[in-house]
Amino acid sequence: MIKLHHAPHTRGMRVIWLCEEMGLPYELAPVPFPPDDKYRARNPIGSVPFLEDGDVAMNESTAMLLYVAQKYGPTPLLPAPTEPCFGRVMQFLIFGETTITMWINVMNLALFFAPDDAKQNWSVQEAARRAGAAIDYLSATLGESDYIVGDRFTVADISCSFPLAVWRRLHRRPLPPNLATYMKRCESRDAYRRGYDKQKDIAPATFG
Amino acid sequence: MKVFHAPGSRSTRVLWFAEEMGLPYEVEAGSIMAPSPALKAANPAVTLPCFIDGDVVLTESMAIIQYLADTYGPTPLAVKLGDRRYADYLQFMYFGEASLAAFITPLVATRFRAPDDQKENFTAQACRAMFRGRLKVIDAQLTKHAYIAGDDFTAADISIAYALTFGSNFGLAEVFSPAVKDYLAKLQARPAYQRAAEVKA
């Protein structure tokens, strides 16, 4: 069975959400904060989430989404390569982590770890501008659609909604109106609610 | 297929993979600082790479590689479900971008565009420290295998090698272990990489 080392408000929620959408069983394990030597022996960078499944060990959440969807699929959340929307799903699965979250990471690092006089340094302001531009691009490409590929909910939506949640809740920044509605739509899905409730009390809240 | 490319950018990954697969491609010069109308029209976010294949437009380098492997493969460079290397393959394909290259881009932005008294700010130092910390995972993997996902070269190596090259172009090679240095040199010696790196856009 999939074992997910997780802390609330981390990318682990992506994997929980997918498992719930697919109806898969999974075990949640709290991660000590800061991570102890025992945890680091299994995941040398001490990051969260960390997935174990038999001999498999992974610490990249978007790779976990593809792994779970393929290993335990097929699932409508991951189109086959022969479907016309395959390219777009891959694009936004990755975009949600790399292009948006890359800049939000910079904001997170400063928020949690920088001394007061560095919390709004040039790089943080630049990161906020670049993250905002990536979010505007997502807003434009979503348009009036329910989900990233029309009315079909996919792993691309699971990937992209994570940084949008961090942007809004942690950094208290507004989302474009269509993305605010989109987030409500995504987070009101039964699978999200079930997964959220299962994980919310497992450990002290951490970000990163 | 057409790739908007600039030397040193993530479009190098796409050219390298296409070269490894022997796929024909057309290159158009892409500048982020002075984008052409064609680039702006294809990719309003003005990032590189931008890849066009018929109706398909993609701007994430790792998504493009996956698309090429699935559309124009099969290729041994893309590990399939059922192969025991599959999880490692996915893990490192993404790790190269999300956990390595992602810390270099903010560092480079700060180096080139921040005012002089900000070039070594908290963020630049934190990004460098995060990158160095993440390299532990690469070192651990290289003690087990010759390549990042096993004994053979795969697209996951292209992802990691780009991030390492990007880092070394901006002064991070000094934190590489001997094993990482040897690994990168081996990858950069591949003829397909050499051809991709020589493409002038």
Side-chain angles (χ1 to χ4, degrees):
Chain A
M1 184 165 64
I2 293 165
K3 180 173 183 178
L4 187 71
H5 301 264
H6 173 70
H9 304 294
T10 68
R11 292 163 175 82
M13 188 60 213
R14 284 181 171 141
V15 182
I16 292 169
W17 190 354
L18 177 62
C19 288
E20 291 288 345
E21 293 277 356
M22 292 177 69
L24 299 174
Y26 56 94
E27 178 192 344
L28 290 178
V31 178
F33 188 80
D36 59 17
D37 289 347
K38 199 173 149 214
Y39 185 67
R40 284 182 182 277
R42 296 152 97 174
N43 178 17
I45 52 176
S47 58
V48 182
F50 176 55
L51 176 148
E52 293 179 298
D53 184 23
D55 290 340
V56 165
M58 308 174 84
N59 57 29
E60 282 293 338
S61 65
T62 38
M64 293 175 201
L65 292 180
L66 275 183
Y67 170 79
V68 170
Q70 296 192 7
K71 171 117 192 248
Y72 297 101
T75 162
L77 274 77
L78 180 66
T82 48
E83 295 185 65
C85 65
F86 174 72
R88 184 167 165 88
V89 170
M90 291 309 306
Q91 153 82 17
F92 285 99
L93 168 71
I94 298 176
F95 182 88
E97 181 54 32
T98 58
T99 302
I100 308 180
T101 309
M102 171 168 74
W103 296 109
I104 292 183
N105 270 339
V106 170
M107 299 166 71
N108 295 353
L109 278 172
L111 181 66
F112 290 118
F113 302 115
D116 284 347
D117 64 354
K119 285 198 187 298
Q120 283 299 325
N121 69 24
W122 181 89
S123 309
V124 176
Q125 294 174 45
E126 172 71 3
R129 193 184 69 73
R130 302 280 282 265
I135 288 170
D136 287 345
Y137 172 67
L138 182 64
S139 167
T141 189
L142 181 73
E144 297 306 311
S145 298
D146 281 358
Y147 297 113
I148 287 169
V149 289
D151 57 3
R152 179 172 176 180
F153 181 77
T154 67
V155 289
D157 298 297
I158 291 182
S159 176
C160 286
S161 52
F162 174 76
L164 298 183
V166 175
W167 177 256
R168 193 180 54 183
R169 297 198 187 114
L170 182 62
H171 296 291
R172 312 252 171 230
R173 288 173 185 265
L175 290 172
N178 68 333
L179 288 182
T181 309
Y182 165 79
M183 285 298 283
K184 271 191 204 139
R185 186 179 300 121
C186 289
E187 293 185 347
S188 62
R189 293 177 68 86
D190 290 345
Y192 178 87
R193 300 302 329 161
R194 277 197 306 276
Y196 183 85
D197 288 344
K198 282 183 196 170
Q199 58 87 51
K200 67 180 174 4
D201 298 321
I202 70 159
T206 53
F207 288 88
Chain B
M1 65 185 79
K2 179 158 96 176
V3 185
F4 287 89
H5 170 69
S9 88
R10 286 164 174 80
S11 49
T12 307
R13 279 188 179 128
V14 178
L15 269 47
W16 184 0
F17 188 73
E19 290 285 350
E20 293 277 1
M21 277 187 81
L23 297 174
Y25 57 86
E26 179 191 338
V27 171
E28 181 162 333
S31 165
I32 294 171
M33 303 315 279
S36 63
L39 176 58
K40 280 197 276 197
N43 178 14
V46 189
T47 54
L48 294 174
C50 174
F51 168 91
I52 303 176
D53 185 24
D55 290 342
V56 171
V57 180
L58 301 172
T59 63
E60 288 288 341
S61 60
M62 305 316 303
I64 298 165
I65 287 180
Q66 179 126 15
Y67 170 86
L68 289 176
D70 285 327
T71 308
Y72 298 103
T75 163
L77 300 180
V79 176
K80 290 275 185 276
L81 180 65
D83 189 305
R84 61 186 171 71
R85 301 170 297 163
Y86 181 66
D88 274 352
Y89 170 74
L90 284 182
Q91 153 79 20
F92 288 102
M93 183 100 158
Y94 288 79
F95 192 89
E97 184 53 37
S99 286
L100 289 176
F103 293 110
I104 305 170
T105 302
L107 186 65
V108 172
T110 303
R111 163 98 48 103
F112 283 103
R113 301 190 25 239
D116 282 351
D117 64 348
Q118 292 267 326
K119 288 193 190 300
E120 273 303 313
N121 64 15
F122 165 86
T123 302
Q125 293 173 39
C127 286
R128 209 178 283 123
M130 293 295 286
F131 180 83
R132 191 166 57 228
R134 295 299 195 243
L135 287 177
K136 285 182 206 163
V137 178
I138 306 299
D139 270 316
Q141 197 67 4
L142 293 176
T143 62
K144 293 186 253 172
H145 307 290
Y147 292 95
I148 207 68
D151 295 329
D152 297 303
F153 175 79
T154 68
D157 294 295
I158 292 181
S159 176
I160 300 289
Y162 172 76
L164 296 175
T165 304
F166 189 24
S168 54
N169 287 344
F170 293 96
L172 287 162
E174 61 191 39
V175 303
F176 293 173
S177 66
V180 167
K181 281 183 184 152
D182 290 349
Y183 166 70
L184 181 58
K186 176 169 69 181
L187 295 173
Q188 289 177 337
R190 294 180 70 86
Y193 172 78
Q194 300 275 334
R195 287 195 297 274
E198 280 163 19
V199 173
K200 307 272 188 287

